[in-house]
PDB file of all heavy atoms in Angstrom:
ATOM      1  N   GLU A 337       4.435  -6.239   4.990  1.00  0.00           N
ATOM      2  CA  GLU A 337       3.777  -7.472   5.392  1.00  0.00           C
ATOM      3  C   GLU A 337       2.343  -7.188   5.828  1.00  0.00           C
ATOM      4  O   GLU A 337       1.501  -8.059   5.771  1.00  0.00           O
ATOM      5  CB  GLU A 337       4.552  -8.148   6.517  1.00  0.00           C
ATOM      6  CG  GLU A 337       5.900  -8.664   6.067  1.00  0.00           C
ATOM      7  CD  GLU A 337       6.644  -9.379   7.176  1.00  0.00           C
ATOM      8  OE1 GLU A 337       6.015  -9.797   8.164  1.00  0.00           O
ATOM      9  OE2 GLU A 337       7.869  -9.527   7.040  1.00  0.00           O
ATOM     10  N   GLY A 338       2.077  -5.963   6.246  1.00  0.00           N
ATOM     11  CA  GLY A 338       0.741  -5.576   6.705  1.00  0.00           C
ATOM     12  C   GLY A 338       0.140  -4.504   5.821  1.00  0.00           C
ATOM     13  O   GLY A 338       0.682  -4.155   4.776  1.00  0.00           O
ATOM     14  N   ASN A 339      -0.996  -3.980   6.254  1.00  0.00           N
ATOM     15  CA  ASN A 339      -1.687  -2.914   5.535  1.00  0.00           C
ATOM     16  C   ASN A 339      -0.959  -1.584   5.728  1.00  0.00           C
ATOM     17  O   ASN A 339      -0.305  -1.375   6.747  1.00  0.00           O
ATOM     18  CB  ASN A 339      -3.118  -2.754   6.057  1.00  0.00           C
ATOM     19  CG  ASN A 339      -3.937  -4.014   5.879  1.00  0.00           C
ATOM     20  OD1 ASN A 339      -3.627  -4.866   5.057  1.00  0.00           O
ATOM     21  ND2 ASN A 339      -4.999  -4.132   6.657  1.00  0.00           N
ATOM     22  N   ASP A 340      -1.110  -0.689   4.768  1.00  0.00           N
ATOM     23  CA  ASP A 340      -0.590   0.672   4.902  1.00  0.00           C
ATOM     24  C   ASP A 340      -1.618   1.604   4.263  1.00  0.00           C
ATOM     25  O   ASP A 340      -1.769   1.635   3.041  1.00  0.00           O
ATOM     26  CB  ASP A 340       0.768   0.812   4.223  1.00  0.00           C
ATOM     27  CG  ASP A 340       1.468   2.125   4.553  1.00  0.00           C
ATOM     28  OD1 ASP A 340       0.771   3.094   4.922  1.00  0.00           O
ATOM     29  OD2 ASP A 340       2.696   2.182   4.429  1.00  0.00           O
ATOM     30  N   SER A 341      -2.334   2.356   5.093  1.00  0.00           N
ATOM     31  CA  SER A 341      -3.440   3.195   4.615  1.00  0.00           C
ATOM     32  C   SER A 341      -3.005   4.541   4.031  1.00  0.00           C
ATOM     33  O   SER A 341      -3.831   5.276   3.518  1.00  0.00           O
ATOM     34  CB  SER A 341      -4.449   3.435   5.744  1.00  0.00           C
ATOM     35  OG  SER A 341      -3.846   4.160   6.791  1.00  0.00           O
ATOM     36  N   ASN A 342      -1.709   4.852   4.101  1.00  0.00           N
ATOM     37  CA  ASN A 342      -1.236   6.116   3.526  1.00  0.00           C
ATOM     38  C   ASN A 342       0.261   6.003   3.235  1.00  0.00           C
ATOM     39  O   ASN A 342       1.081   6.110   4.139  1.00  0.00           O
ATOM     40  CB  ASN A 342      -1.505   7.278   4.475  1.00  0.00           C
ATOM     41  CG  ASN A 342      -1.202   8.620   3.848  1.00  0.00           C
ATOM     42  OD1 ASN A 342      -0.480   8.711   2.854  1.00  0.00           O
ATOM     43  ND2 ASN A 342      -1.739   9.672   4.421  1.00  0.00           N
ATOM     44  N   TRP A 343       0.592   5.813   1.977  1.00  0.00           N
ATOM     45  CA  TRP A 343       1.988   5.676   1.584  1.00  0.00           C
ATOM     46  C   TRP A 343       2.747   6.988   1.692  1.00  0.00           C
ATOM     47  O   TRP A 343       3.972   6.997   1.588  1.00  0.00           O
ATOM     48  CB  TRP A 343       2.093   5.151   0.155  1.00  0.00           C
ATOM     49  CG  TRP A 343       1.823   3.687  -0.009  1.00  0.00           C
ATOM     50  CD1 TRP A 343       1.133   2.875   0.838  1.00  0.00           C
ATOM     51  CD2 TRP A 343       2.233   2.875  -1.101  1.00  0.00           C
ATOM     52  NE1 TRP A 343       1.088   1.598   0.333  1.00  0.00           N
ATOM     53  CE2 TRP A 343       1.748   1.574  -0.861  1.00  0.00           C
ATOM     54  CE3 TRP A 343       2.937   3.120  -2.263  1.00  0.00           C
ATOM     55  CZ2 TRP A 343       1.978   0.522  -1.736  1.00  0.00           C
ATOM     56  CZ3 TRP A 343       3.157   2.075  -3.139  1.00  0.00           C
ATOM     57  CH2 TRP A 343       2.690   0.788  -2.870  1.00  0.00           C
ATOM     58  N   GLY A 344       2.082   8.096   1.899  1.00  0.00           N
ATOM     59  CA  GLY A 344       2.754   9.392   1.929  1.00  0.00           C
ATOM     60  C   GLY A 344       2.985   9.953   3.316  1.00  0.00           C
ATOM     61  O   GLY A 344       3.605  10.996   3.458  1.00  0.00           O
ATOM     62  N   ASP A 345       2.499   9.260   4.350  1.00  0.00           N
ATOM     63  CA  ASP A 345       2.705   9.781   5.704  1.00  0.00           C
ATOM     64  C   ASP A 345       4.008   9.239   6.289  1.00  0.00           C
ATOM     65  O   ASP A 345       4.817   8.653   5.573  1.00  0.00           O
ATOM     66  CB  ASP A 345       1.493   9.474   6.597  1.00  0.00           C
ATOM     67  CG  ASP A 345       1.284   7.982   6.846  1.00  0.00           C
ATOM     68  OD1 ASP A 345       2.144   7.153   6.448  1.00  0.00           O
ATOM     69  OD2 ASP A 345       0.256   7.632   7.437  1.00  0.00           O
ATOM     70  N   SER A 346       4.201   9.411   7.585  1.00  0.00           N
ATOM     71  CA  SER A 346       5.448   8.971   8.217  1.00  0.00           C
ATOM     72  C   SER A 346       5.289   7.660   8.975  1.00  0.00           C
ATOM     73  O   SER A 346       6.159   7.279   9.734  1.00  0.00           O
ATOM     74  CB  SER A 346       5.973  10.055   9.155  1.00  0.00           C
ATOM     75  OG  SER A 346       5.001  10.316  10.162  1.00  0.00           O
ATOM     76  N   GLY A 347       4.183   6.944   8.758  1.00  0.00           N
ATOM     77  CA  GLY A 347       3.975   5.656   9.414  1.00  0.00           C
ATOM     78  C   GLY A 347       3.814   4.552   8.390  1.00  0.00           C
ATOM     79  O   GLY A 347       3.584   4.808   7.207  1.00  0.00           O
ATOM     80  N   GLY A 348       3.943   3.322   8.822  1.00  0.00           N
ATOM     81  CA  GLY A 348       3.760   2.193   7.925  1.00  0.00           C
ATOM     82  C   GLY A 348       5.012   1.866   7.132  1.00  0.00           C
ATOM     83  O   GLY A 348       6.064   2.487   7.281  1.00  0.00           O
ATOM     84  N   SER A 349       4.879   0.879   6.275  1.00  0.00           N
ATOM     85  CA  SER A 349       6.022   0.391   5.501  1.00  0.00           C
ATOM     86  C   SER A 349       6.462   1.366   4.420  1.00  0.00           C
ATOM     87  O   SER A 349       7.644   1.477   4.115  1.00  0.00           O
ATOM     88  CB  SER A 349       5.663  -0.943   4.860  1.00  0.00           C
ATOM     89  OG  SER A 349       5.306  -1.868   5.845  1.00  0.00           O
ATOM     90  N   PHE A 350       5.501   2.044   3.804  1.00  0.00           N
ATOM     91  CA  PHE A 350       5.806   3.030   2.766  1.00  0.00           C
ATOM     92  C   PHE A 350       5.597   4.416   3.366  1.00  0.00           C
ATOM     93  O   PHE A 350       4.621   4.646   4.066  1.00  0.00           O
ATOM     94  CB  PHE A 350       4.901   2.820   1.551  1.00  0.00           C
ATOM     95  CG  PHE A 350       5.169   1.514   0.862  1.00  0.00           C
ATOM     96  CD1 PHE A 350       4.454   0.379   1.202  1.00  0.00           C
ATOM     97  CD2 PHE A 350       6.142   1.416  -0.112  1.00  0.00           C
ATOM     98  CE1 PHE A 350       4.703  -0.835   0.572  1.00  0.00           C
ATOM     99  CE2 PHE A 350       6.402   0.208  -0.748  1.00  0.00           C
ATOM    100  CZ  PHE A 350       5.682  -0.921  -0.392  1.00  0.00           C
ATOM    101  N   GLN A 351       6.527   5.334   3.074  1.00  0.00           N
ATOM    102  CA  GLN A 351       6.469   6.644   3.707  1.00  0.00           C
ATOM    103  C   GLN A 351       6.910   7.743   2.753  1.00  0.00           C
ATOM    104  O   GLN A 351       7.693   7.508   1.829  1.00  0.00           O
ATOM    105  CB  GLN A 351       7.383   6.668   4.941  1.00  0.00           C
ATOM    106  CG  GLN A 351       6.972   5.680   6.006  1.00  0.00           C
ATOM    107  CD  GLN A 351       7.874   5.751   7.227  1.00  0.00           C
ATOM    108  OE1 GLN A 351       8.756   6.592   7.343  1.00  0.00           O
ATOM    109  NE2 GLN A 351       7.630   4.853   8.172  1.00  0.00           N
ATOM    110  N   GLY A 352       6.397   8.944   3.014  1.00  0.00           N
ATOM    111  CA  GLY A 352       6.838  10.152   2.320  1.00  0.00           C
ATOM    112  C   GLY A 352       6.701  10.083   0.815  1.00  0.00           C
ATOM    113  O   GLY A 352       5.609   9.965   0.275  1.00  0.00           O
ATOM    114  N   SER A 353       7.823  10.105   0.125  1.00  0.00           N
ATOM    115  CA  SER A 353       7.830  10.171  -1.334  1.00  0.00           C
ATOM    116  C   SER A 353       7.485   8.849  -2.009  1.00  0.00           C
ATOM    117  O   SER A 353       7.444   8.785  -3.231  1.00  0.00           O
ATOM    118  CB  SER A 353       9.191  10.673  -1.834  1.00  0.00           C
ATOM    119  OG  SER A 353      10.203   9.740  -1.512  1.00  0.00           O
ATOM    120  N   ASP A 354       7.213   7.785  -1.241  1.00  0.00           N
ATOM    121  CA  ASP A 354       6.820   6.507  -1.839  1.00  0.00           C
ATOM    122  C   ASP A 354       5.446   6.593  -2.504  1.00  0.00           C
ATOM    123  O   ASP A 354       5.168   5.870  -3.458  1.00  0.00           O
ATOM    124  CB  ASP A 354       6.777   5.395  -0.786  1.00  0.00           C
ATOM    125  CG  ASP A 354       8.143   5.061  -0.225  1.00  0.00           C
ATOM    126  OD1 ASP A 354       9.152   5.312  -0.918  1.00  0.00           O
ATOM    127  OD2 ASP A 354       8.203   4.547   0.904  1.00  0.00           O
ATOM    128  N   THR A 355       4.596   7.477  -2.007  1.00  0.00           N
ATOM    129  CA  THR A 355       3.248   7.576  -2.547  1.00  0.00           C
ATOM    130  C   THR A 355       3.274   7.999  -4.013  1.00  0.00           C
ATOM    131  O   THR A 355       4.107   8.798  -4.431  1.00  0.00           O
ATOM    132  CB  THR A 355       2.379   8.543  -1.711  1.00  0.00           C
ATOM    133  OG1 THR A 355       1.008   8.367  -2.083  1.00  0.00           O
ATOM    134  CG2 THR A 355       2.774   9.987  -1.876  1.00  0.00           C
ATOM    135  N   ASN A 356       2.377   7.421  -4.781  1.00  0.00           N
ATOM    136  CA  ASN A 356       2.225   7.753  -6.206  1.00  0.00           C
ATOM    137  C   ASN A 356       3.489   7.552  -7.030  1.00  0.00           C
ATOM    138  O   ASN A 356       3.744   8.296  -7.975  1.00  0.00           O
ATOM    139  CB  ASN A 356       1.714   9.193  -6.364  1.00  0.00           C
ATOM    140  CG  ASN A 356       0.379   9.381  -5.694  1.00  0.00           C
ATOM    141  OD1 ASN A 356      -0.472   8.506  -5.728  1.00  0.00           O
ATOM    142  ND2 ASN A 356       0.194  10.527  -5.067  1.00  0.00           N
ATOM    143  N   ARG A 357       4.281   6.533  -6.690  1.00  0.00           N
ATOM    144  CA  ARG A 357       5.516   6.266  -7.442  1.00  0.00           C
ATOM    145  C   ARG A 357       5.581   4.864  -8.032  1.00  0.00           C
ATOM    146  O   ARG A 357       6.385   4.631  -8.932  1.00  0.00           O
ATOM    147  CB  ARG A 357       6.735   6.479  -6.548  1.00  0.00           C
ATOM    148  CG  ARG A 357       7.028   7.942  -6.343  1.00  0.00           C
ATOM    149  CD  ARG A 357       8.298   8.197  -5.592  1.00  0.00           C
ATOM    150  NE  ARG A 357       9.463   7.517  -6.158  1.00  0.00           N
ATOM    151  CZ  ARG A 357      10.582   7.322  -5.471  1.00  0.00           C
ATOM    152  NH1 ARG A 357      10.691   7.715  -4.233  1.00  0.00           N
ATOM    153  NH2 ARG A 357      11.609   6.712  -6.035  1.00  0.00           N
ATOM    154  N   ALA A 358       4.799   3.915  -7.538  1.00  0.00           N
ATOM    155  CA  ALA A 358       4.935   2.526  -7.980  1.00  0.00           C
ATOM    156  C   ALA A 358       4.517   2.336  -9.438  1.00  0.00           C
ATOM    157  O   ALA A 358       3.464   2.791  -9.855  1.00  0.00           O
ATOM    158  CB  ALA A 358       4.108   1.610  -7.085  1.00  0.00           C
ATOM    159  N   THR A 359       5.379   1.658 -10.186  1.00  0.00           N
ATOM    160  CA  THR A 359       5.105   1.320 -11.577  1.00  0.00           C
ATOM    161  C   THR A 359       5.034  -0.192 -11.770  1.00  0.00           C
ATOM    162  O   THR A 359       4.554  -0.675 -12.777  1.00  0.00           O
ATOM    163  CB  THR A 359       6.186   1.923 -12.503  1.00  0.00           C
ATOM    164  OG1 THR A 359       6.198   3.336 -12.291  1.00  0.00           O
ATOM    165  CG2 THR A 359       5.892   1.674 -13.963  1.00  0.00           C
ATOM    166  N   SER A 360       5.501  -0.964 -10.788  1.00  0.00           N
ATOM    167  CA  SER A 360       5.350  -2.414 -10.793  1.00  0.00           C
ATOM    168  C   SER A 360       5.259  -2.901  -9.345  1.00  0.00           C
ATOM    169  O   SER A 360       5.774  -2.248  -8.430  1.00  0.00           O
ATOM    170  CB  SER A 360       6.496  -3.099 -11.540  1.00  0.00           C
ATOM    171  OG  SER A 360       7.756  -2.734 -11.033  1.00  0.00           O
ATOM    172  N   VAL A 361       4.564  -4.027  -9.151  1.00  0.00           N
ATOM    173  CA  VAL A 361       4.339  -4.568  -7.810  1.00  0.00           C
ATOM    174  C   VAL A 361       4.461  -6.091  -7.833  1.00  0.00           C
ATOM    175  O   VAL A 361       4.282  -6.728  -8.868  1.00  0.00           O
ATOM    176  CB  VAL A 361       2.952  -4.155  -7.258  1.00  0.00           C
ATOM    177  CG1 VAL A 361       2.919  -2.672  -6.924  1.00  0.00           C
ATOM    178  CG2 VAL A 361       1.835  -4.505  -8.225  1.00  0.00           C
ATOM    179  N   LEU A 362       4.747  -6.651  -6.660  1.00  0.00           N
ATOM    180  CA  LEU A 362       4.958  -8.084  -6.512  1.00  0.00           C
ATOM    181  C   LEU A 362       4.219  -8.569  -5.273  1.00  0.00           C
ATOM    182  O   LEU A 362       4.323  -7.952  -4.213  1.00  0.00           O
ATOM    183  CB  LEU A 362       6.464  -8.344  -6.374  1.00  0.00           C
ATOM    184  CG  LEU A 362       6.964  -9.729  -6.029  1.00  0.00           C
ATOM    185  CD1 LEU A 362       6.665 -10.695  -7.174  1.00  0.00           C
ATOM    186  CD2 LEU A 362       8.459  -9.680  -5.766  1.00  0.00           C
ATOM    187  N   ASN A 363       3.450  -9.647  -5.400  1.00  0.00           N
ATOM    188  CA  ASN A 363       2.731 -10.237  -4.268  1.00  0.00           C
ATOM    189  C   ASN A 363       3.419 -11.539  -3.900  1.00  0.00           C
ATOM    190  O   ASN A 363       3.341 -12.523  -4.630  1.00  0.00           O
ATOM    191  CB  ASN A 363       1.267 -10.497  -4.635  1.00  0.00           C
ATOM    192  CG  ASN A 363       0.463 -11.099  -3.493  1.00  0.00           C
ATOM    193  OD1 ASN A 363       1.002 -11.485  -2.464  1.00  0.00           O
ATOM    194  ND2 ASN A 363      -0.835 -11.187  -3.678  1.00  0.00           N
ATOM    195  N   LYS A 364       4.097 -11.559  -2.746  1.00  0.00           N
ATOM    196  CA  LYS A 364       4.743 -12.772  -2.263  1.00  0.00           C
ATOM    197  C   LYS A 364       3.978 -13.375  -1.089  1.00  0.00           C
ATOM    198  O   LYS A 364       4.505 -14.192  -0.364  1.00  0.00           O
ATOM    199  CB  LYS A 364       6.187 -12.474  -1.869  1.00  0.00           C
ATOM    200  CG  LYS A 364       7.063 -12.141  -3.067  1.00  0.00           C
ATOM    201  CD  LYS A 364       8.488 -11.939  -2.673  1.00  0.00           C
ATOM    202  CE  LYS A 364       9.253 -13.210  -2.920  1.00  0.00           C
ATOM    203  NZ  LYS A 364      10.690 -13.073  -2.642  1.00  0.00           N
ATOM    204  N   GLY A 365       2.714 -12.951  -0.925  1.00  0.00           N
ATOM    205  CA  GLY A 365       1.890 -13.464   0.161  1.00  0.00           C
ATOM    206  C   GLY A 365       1.519 -14.921  -0.049  1.00  0.00           C
ATOM    207  O   GLY A 365       1.522 -15.423  -1.166  1.00  0.00           O
ATOM    208  N   ASN A 366       1.182 -15.589   1.045  1.00  0.00           N
ATOM    209  CA  ASN A 366       0.835 -17.005   0.988  1.00  0.00           C
ATOM    210  C   ASN A 366      -0.656 -17.276   0.967  1.00  0.00           C
ATOM    211  O   ASN A 366      -1.082 -18.336   0.524  1.00  0.00           O
ATOM    212  CB  ASN A 366       1.454 -17.747   2.179  1.00  0.00           C
ATOM    213  CG  ASN A 366       2.955 -17.783   2.089  1.00  0.00           C
ATOM    214  OD1 ASN A 366       3.520 -17.889   1.014  1.00  0.00           O
ATOM    215  ND2 ASN A 366       3.612 -17.684   3.230  1.00  0.00           N
ATOM    216  N   SER A 367      -1.464 -16.327   1.443  1.00  0.00           N
ATOM    217  CA  SER A 367      -2.880 -16.655   1.564  1.00  0.00           C
ATOM    218  C   SER A 367      -3.837 -15.539   1.160  1.00  0.00           C
ATOM    219  O   SER A 367      -5.039 -15.764   1.145  1.00  0.00           O
ATOM    220  CB  SER A 367      -3.189 -17.071   3.008  1.00  0.00           C
ATOM    221  OG  SER A 367      -2.943 -16.003   3.890  1.00  0.00           O
ATOM    222  N   GLN A 368      -3.350 -14.363   0.832  1.00  0.00           N
ATOM    223  CA  GLN A 368      -4.252 -13.265   0.498  1.00  0.00           C
ATOM    224  C   GLN A 368      -3.784 -12.498  -0.735  1.00  0.00           C
ATOM    225  O   GLN A 368      -2.658 -12.645  -1.186  1.00  0.00           O
ATOM    226  CB  GLN A 368      -4.388 -12.301   1.676  1.00  0.00           C
ATOM    227  CG  GLN A 368      -5.156 -12.914   2.839  1.00  0.00           C
ATOM    228  CD  GLN A 368      -5.467 -11.889   3.903  1.00  0.00           C
ATOM    229  OE1 GLN A 368      -4.568 -11.254   4.424  1.00  0.00           O
ATOM    230  NE2 GLN A 368      -6.743 -11.736   4.195  1.00  0.00           N
ATOM    231  N   GLU A 369      -4.707 -11.685  -1.229  1.00  0.00           N
ATOM    232  CA  GLU A 369      -4.428 -10.820  -2.364  1.00  0.00           C
ATOM    233  C   GLU A 369      -4.075  -9.433  -1.819  1.00  0.00           C
ATOM    234  O   GLU A 369      -4.392  -9.123  -0.685  1.00  0.00           O
ATOM    235  CB  GLU A 369      -5.657 -10.701  -3.271  1.00  0.00           C
ATOM    236  CG  GLU A 369      -6.521 -11.926  -3.438  1.00  0.00           C
ATOM    237  CD  GLU A 369      -5.818 -13.236  -3.744  1.00  0.00           C
ATOM    238  OE1 GLU A 369      -4.708 -13.236  -4.287  1.00  0.00           O
ATOM    239  OE2 GLU A 369      -6.384 -14.279  -3.431  1.00  0.00           O
ATOM    240  N   VAL A 370      -3.433  -8.615  -2.644  1.00  0.00           N
ATOM    241  CA  VAL A 370      -3.132  -7.240  -2.251  1.00  0.00           C
ATOM    242  C   VAL A 370      -4.074  -6.323  -3.029  1.00  0.00           C
ATOM    243  O   VAL A 370      -4.175  -6.414  -4.240  1.00  0.00           O
ATOM    244  CB  VAL A 370      -1.680  -6.847  -2.549  1.00  0.00           C
ATOM    245  CG1 VAL A 370      -1.390  -5.445  -2.020  1.00  0.00           C
ATOM    246  CG2 VAL A 370      -0.711  -7.841  -1.953  1.00  0.00           C
ATOM    247  N   GLN A 371      -4.765  -5.457  -2.293  1.00  0.00           N
ATOM    248  CA  GLN A 371      -5.675  -4.490  -2.911  1.00  0.00           C
ATOM    249  C   GLN A 371      -5.029  -3.112  -2.786  1.00  0.00           C
ATOM    250  O   GLN A 371      -4.707  -2.664  -1.688  1.00  0.00           O
ATOM    251  CB  GLN A 371      -7.023  -4.520  -2.201  1.00  0.00           C
ATOM    252  CG  GLN A 371      -8.101  -3.726  -2.888  1.00  0.00           C
ATOM    253  CD  GLN A 371      -9.448  -3.926  -2.198  1.00  0.00           C
ATOM    254  OE1 GLN A 371      -9.520  -3.976  -0.969  1.00  0.00           O
ATOM    255  NE2 GLN A 371     -10.496  -4.020  -2.985  1.00  0.00           N
ATOM    256  N   PHE A 372      -4.819  -2.457  -3.930  1.00  0.00           N
ATOM    257  CA  PHE A 372      -4.191  -1.146  -3.983  1.00  0.00           C
ATOM    258  C   PHE A 372      -5.263  -0.090  -4.231  1.00  0.00           C
ATOM    259  O   PHE A 372      -6.240  -0.345  -4.932  1.00  0.00           O
ATOM    260  CB  PHE A 372      -3.163  -1.097  -5.115  1.00  0.00           C
ATOM    261  CG  PHE A 372      -2.038  -2.064  -4.948  1.00  0.00           C
ATOM    262  CD1 PHE A 372      -2.057  -3.282  -5.595  1.00  0.00           C
ATOM    263  CD2 PHE A 372      -0.952  -1.758  -4.148  1.00  0.00           C
ATOM    264  CE1 PHE A 372      -1.026  -4.190  -5.454  1.00  0.00           C
ATOM    265  CE2 PHE A 372       0.091  -2.649  -3.993  1.00  0.00           C
ATOM    266  CZ  PHE A 372       0.060  -3.875  -4.646  1.00  0.00           C
ATOM    267  N   PHE A 373      -5.046   1.093  -3.691  1.00  0.00           N
ATOM    268  CA  PHE A 373      -6.003   2.203  -3.811  1.00  0.00           C
ATOM    269  C   PHE A 373      -5.302   3.466  -4.275  1.00  0.00           C
ATOM    270  O   PHE A 373      -4.130   3.686  -3.979  1.00  0.00           O
ATOM    271  CB  PHE A 373      -6.657   2.494  -2.453  1.00  0.00           C
ATOM    272  CG  PHE A 373      -7.476   1.364  -1.934  1.00  0.00           C
ATOM    273  CD1 PHE A 373      -6.884   0.352  -1.190  1.00  0.00           C
ATOM    274  CD2 PHE A 373      -8.838   1.290  -2.186  1.00  0.00           C
ATOM    275  CE1 PHE A 373      -7.640  -0.706  -0.710  1.00  0.00           C
ATOM    276  CE2 PHE A 373      -9.597   0.235  -1.705  1.00  0.00           C
ATOM    277  CZ  PHE A 373      -8.994  -0.758  -0.975  1.00  0.00           C
ATOM    278  N   ASN A 374      -6.067   4.341  -4.940  1.00  0.00           N
ATOM    279  CA  ASN A 374      -5.519   5.657  -5.256  1.00  0.00           C
ATOM    280  C   ASN A 374      -6.041   6.701  -4.281  1.00  0.00           C
ATOM    281  O   ASN A 374      -5.893   7.889  -4.506  1.00  0.00           O
ATOM    282  CB  ASN A 374      -5.763   6.053  -6.718  1.00  0.00           C
ATOM    283  CG  ASN A 374      -7.224   6.220  -7.085  1.00  0.00           C
ATOM    284  OD1 ASN A 374      -8.113   5.731  -6.403  1.00  0.00           O
ATOM    285  ND2 ASN A 374      -7.479   6.884  -8.180  1.00  0.00           N
ATOM    286  N   GLY A 375      -6.583   6.251  -3.178  1.00  0.00           N
ATOM    287  CA  GLY A 375      -6.973   7.107  -2.070  1.00  0.00           C
ATOM    288  C   GLY A 375      -6.244   6.666  -0.815  1.00  0.00           C
ATOM    289  O   GLY A 375      -5.579   5.636  -0.808  1.00  0.00           O
ATOM    290  N   THR A 376      -6.363   7.463   0.245  1.00  0.00           N
ATOM    291  CA  THR A 376      -5.726   7.118   1.517  1.00  0.00           C
ATOM    292  C   THR A 376      -6.776   7.028   2.615  1.00  0.00           C
ATOM    293  O   THR A 376      -7.894   7.487   2.455  1.00  0.00           O
ATOM    294  CB  THR A 376      -4.667   8.169   1.918  1.00  0.00           C
ATOM    295  OG1 THR A 376      -5.304   9.440   2.022  1.00  0.00           O
ATOM    296  CG2 THR A 376      -3.543   8.234   0.902  1.00  0.00           C
ATOM    297  N   GLY A 377      -6.377   6.442   3.729  1.00  0.00           N
ATOM    298  CA  GLY A 377      -7.255   6.335   4.887  1.00  0.00           C
ATOM    299  C   GLY A 377      -7.827   4.936   5.041  1.00  0.00           C
ATOM    300  O   GLY A 377      -7.870   4.158   4.099  1.00  0.00           O
ATOM    301  N   THR A 378      -8.266   4.645   6.255  1.00  0.00           N
ATOM    302  CA  THR A 378      -8.769   3.307   6.557  1.00  0.00           C
ATOM    303  C   THR A 378     -10.186   3.066   6.064  1.00  0.00           C
ATOM    304  O   THR A 378     -10.731   1.989   6.269  1.00  0.00           O
ATOM    305  CB  THR A 378      -8.694   3.030   8.070  1.00  0.00           C
ATOM    306  OG1 THR A 378      -9.403   4.063   8.760  1.00  0.00           O
ATOM    307  CG2 THR A 378      -7.249   2.983   8.546  1.00  0.00           C
ATOM    308  N   GLN A 379     -10.769   4.044   5.373  1.00  0.00           N
ATOM    309  CA  GLN A 379     -12.057   3.812   4.717  1.00  0.00           C
ATOM    310  C   GLN A 379     -11.834   3.058   3.418  1.00  0.00           C
ATOM    311  O   GLN A 379     -12.779   2.575   2.811  1.00  0.00           O
ATOM    312  CB  GLN A 379     -12.785   5.138   4.408  1.00  0.00           C
ATOM    313  CG  GLN A 379     -13.087   6.002   5.597  1.00  0.00           C
ATOM    314  CD  GLN A 379     -11.875   6.840   6.003  1.00  0.00           C
ATOM    315  OE1 GLN A 379     -10.915   7.024   5.254  1.00  0.00           O
ATOM    316  NE2 GLN A 379     -11.894   7.331   7.229  1.00  0.00           N
ATOM    317  N   TRP A 380     -10.576   2.958   2.982  1.00  0.00           N
ATOM    318  CA  TRP A 380     -10.192   2.254   1.761  1.00  0.00           C
ATOM    319  C   TRP A 380     -11.047   2.725   0.595  1.00  0.00           C
ATOM    320  O   TRP A 380     -11.727   1.960  -0.061  1.00  0.00           O
ATOM    321  CB  TRP A 380     -10.252   0.738   1.961  1.00  0.00           C
ATOM    322  CG  TRP A 380      -9.443   0.315   3.141  1.00  0.00           C
ATOM    323  CD1 TRP A 380      -9.934  -0.135   4.330  1.00  0.00           C
ATOM    324  CD2 TRP A 380      -8.022   0.336   3.284  1.00  0.00           C
ATOM    325  NE1 TRP A 380      -8.900  -0.390   5.191  1.00  0.00           N
ATOM    326  CE2 TRP A 380      -7.710  -0.114   4.575  1.00  0.00           C
ATOM    327  CE3 TRP A 380      -6.973   0.702   2.444  1.00  0.00           C
ATOM    328  CZ2 TRP A 380      -6.417  -0.212   5.048  1.00  0.00           C
ATOM    329  CZ3 TRP A 380      -5.674   0.602   2.917  1.00  0.00           C
ATOM    330  CH2 TRP A 380      -5.408   0.150   4.197  1.00  0.00           C
ATOM    331  N   SER A 381     -10.989   4.028   0.360  1.00  0.00           N
ATOM    332  CA  SER A 381     -11.809   4.648  -0.688  1.00  0.00           C
ATOM    333  C   SER A 381     -10.973   4.971  -1.914  1.00  0.00           C
ATOM    334  O   SER A 381      -9.770   4.770  -1.935  1.00  0.00           O
ATOM    335  CB  SER A 381     -12.454   5.917  -0.142  1.00  0.00           C
ATOM    336  OG  SER A 381     -11.451   6.820   0.278  1.00  0.00           O
TER     337      SER A 381
END
């Protein structure tokens, strides 16, 4: 439901082996878009 700046760490909605695994995604949000990155960190690089 919120942001996750590192899918491979132990915090946030996605953790550990979740990083670099998604092949399809779904946006069920009501008011915003989802921006995906191939980098990590809150610099959103």
Side-chain angles (χ1 to χ4, degrees):
E337 293 182 19
N339 299 339
D340 191 337
S341 64
N342 188 341
W343 284 21
D345 65 7
S346 60
S349 302
F350 294 92
Q351 298 181 5
S353 65
D354 293 336
T355 193
N356 300 322
R357 284 186 53 198
T359 302
S360 55
V361 289
L362 172 67
N363 181 351
K364 292 184 98 176
N366 293 324
S367 63
Q368 290 189 303
E369 324 312 335
V370 184
Q371 189 174 40
F372 298 98
F373 296 87
N374 64 341
T376 59
T378 55
Q379 301 82 17
W380 306 109
S381 60

